[in-house]
Amino acid sequence: MTLKQLTYFLKIAETGNLTKAAQLLNISQPPLSYQLKLLEEELGVTLFTRDSRNLRITNEGIYLQNKTTQILALIQQTVDDLHDFSTIAPTIINIGTVSSVNHNMLPTIIKEYKQHYPHTVFNIHDGSSIRIMELLDNGIIDIGILREPFNHSLYSCQQIKMPDSSNDENDYFVVTGRREFFHDYSQGVIDFSDVVNLPLVIHRRFEESFLYTCMEKNVKPNIISRNDNIITSIEWTVNGLGCAIMPYSSSLLIDDDNVVIKKIIHPVSYANLYLVWSKNANLPLSLLEFINLF
């Protein structure tokens, strides 16, 4: 029993006449009669009784007519659904990201991706690196963009390079502040020993490593504020309340010509960005292509 035979049978049942059915199917009558005979022989039932001019459908034929209508409708629905999936139905990508990346880098990559997949829907979850790991662990997001430190062994990950970084250096720490806080604001670097004397604003996630360096240098920092959001550090900087320590990529959010950004040296330290996803996850092709853009 083939779909062609069922289609032929349904048209015969609708018209009750082999000649009319053949005309509507755009075939000659002998092949149509032959396919009907094969179908009846395979099923072992008589689907039509015949008189000199027309066909009369049997009870078995009525049953098959109802079932065939359902079968062909289901097949058409399946074809339509598959077409929708490939051409209209959106791909959904759930991303967790630290705020600094969502400002410039991520929108640029999303824009490029949507040129090839215009129906993609992105669900963005902003938050700290800790929150992003929680969202990933609970299956709420597909991929996360976060900063070190984190346990690399728990995830599949790849480092994200800043577009203007060199091959051997990426997201180093800077100190940001209005010009009046610096003796020489024309220099793009500042020694760690000079940083600790500034009125410092710091994100709690970076405080531990910063204080560890202070301990190694045997210096005491002048911390005037701690926070849990890099945007708070930026607002304090722009309003002249203090000088904020942050990764370089976060400083790119600052749009104020009166704010100076200096790379901290002696030592240089980093808060590199990583793209992470669940270890051993079977990622769909659409998500793999998105990851490749990084």
Side-chain angles (χ1 to χ4, degrees), residues 36-170:
L36 177 60
K37 179 181 178 182
L38 290 179
L39 182 61
E40 289 182 321
E41 289 177 351
E42 180 180 352
L43 297 176
V45 297
T46 300
L47 298 173
F48 297 96
T49 58
R50 296 159 175 81
D51 57 30
S52 58
R53 300 186 61 181
N54 294 310
L55 301 177
R56 186 181 302 276
I57 194 167
T58 64
N59 290 334
E60 293 86 351
I62 292 173
Y63 177 82
L64 183 60
Q65 182 182 22
N66 291 334
K67 290 297 182 181
T68 299
T69 301
Q70 297 175 37
I71 290 169
L72 295 180
L74 180 60
I75 290 173
Q76 185 59 51
Q77 180 183 339
T78 303
V79 172
D80 292 341
D81 288 345
L82 289 172
H83 178 73
D84 288 345
F85 279 130
S86 61
T87 60
I88 298 175
T91 297
I92 298 176
I93 298 179
N94 303 294
I95 305 173
T97 174
V98 291
S99 300
S100 56
V101 179
N102 204 23
H103 176 69
N104 187 16
M105 179 190 295
L106 186 57
T108 300
I109 291 175
I110 288 175
K111 183 177 180 180
E112 181 178 352
Y113 184 83
K114 285 181 72 69
Q115 289 176 355
H116 303 283
Y117 301 94
H119 300 293
T120 303
V121 174
F122 288 90
N123 294 324
I124 307 297
H125 299 262
D126 292 286
S128 66
S129 295
I130 293 174
R131 179 171 184 262
I132 291 166
M133 285 185 281
E134 291 175 349
L135 294 174
L136 192 60
D137 294 341
N138 291 324
I140 297 173
I141 59 175
D142 303 308
I143 54 175
I145 302 172
L146 49 80
R147 294 190 185 278
E148 292 180 307
F150 65 93
N151 189 340
H152 289 232
S153 66
L154 297 179
Y155 306 98
S156 295
C157 57
Q158 68 179 44
Q159 187 177 345
I160 299 173
K161 287 285 188 179
M162 299 302 295
D164 57 349
S165 66
S166 63
N167 291 331
D168 61 346
E169 186 173 55
N170 195 6

Side-chain angles (χ1 to χ4, degrees), residues 148-149 168-173 209 247 263 268-272:
E148 292 180 307
D168 61 346
E169 186 173 55
N170 195 6
D171 214 358
Y172 49 80
F173 276 101
S209 61
K263 177 181 177 180
V268 178
S269 56
Y270 303 91
N272 289 326

Side-chain angles (χ1 to χ4, degrees), residues 154-213:
L154 297 179
Y155 306 98
S156 295
C157 57
Q158 68 179 44
Q159 187 177 345
I160 299 173
K161 287 285 188 179
M162 299 302 295
D164 57 349
S165 66
S166 63
N167 291 331
D168 61 346
E169 186 173 55
N170 195 6
D171 214 358
Y172 49 80
F173 276 101
V174 299
V175 63
T176 65
R178 299 189 72 84
R179 295 172 184 262
E180 54 264 28
F181 286 108
F182 303 98
H183 298 298
D184 183 3
Y185 53 78
S186 63
Q187 294 294 319
V189 297
I190 185 172
D191 196 284
F192 186 90
S193 60
D194 294 324
V195 171
V196 295
N197 297 318
L198 297 170
L200 296 176
V201 179
I202 192 166
H203 193 294
R204 286 187 177 89
R205 181 165 171 76
F206 309 133
E207 184 180 10
E208 183 177 352
S209 61
F210 177 73
L211 292 178
Y212 182 79
T213 304

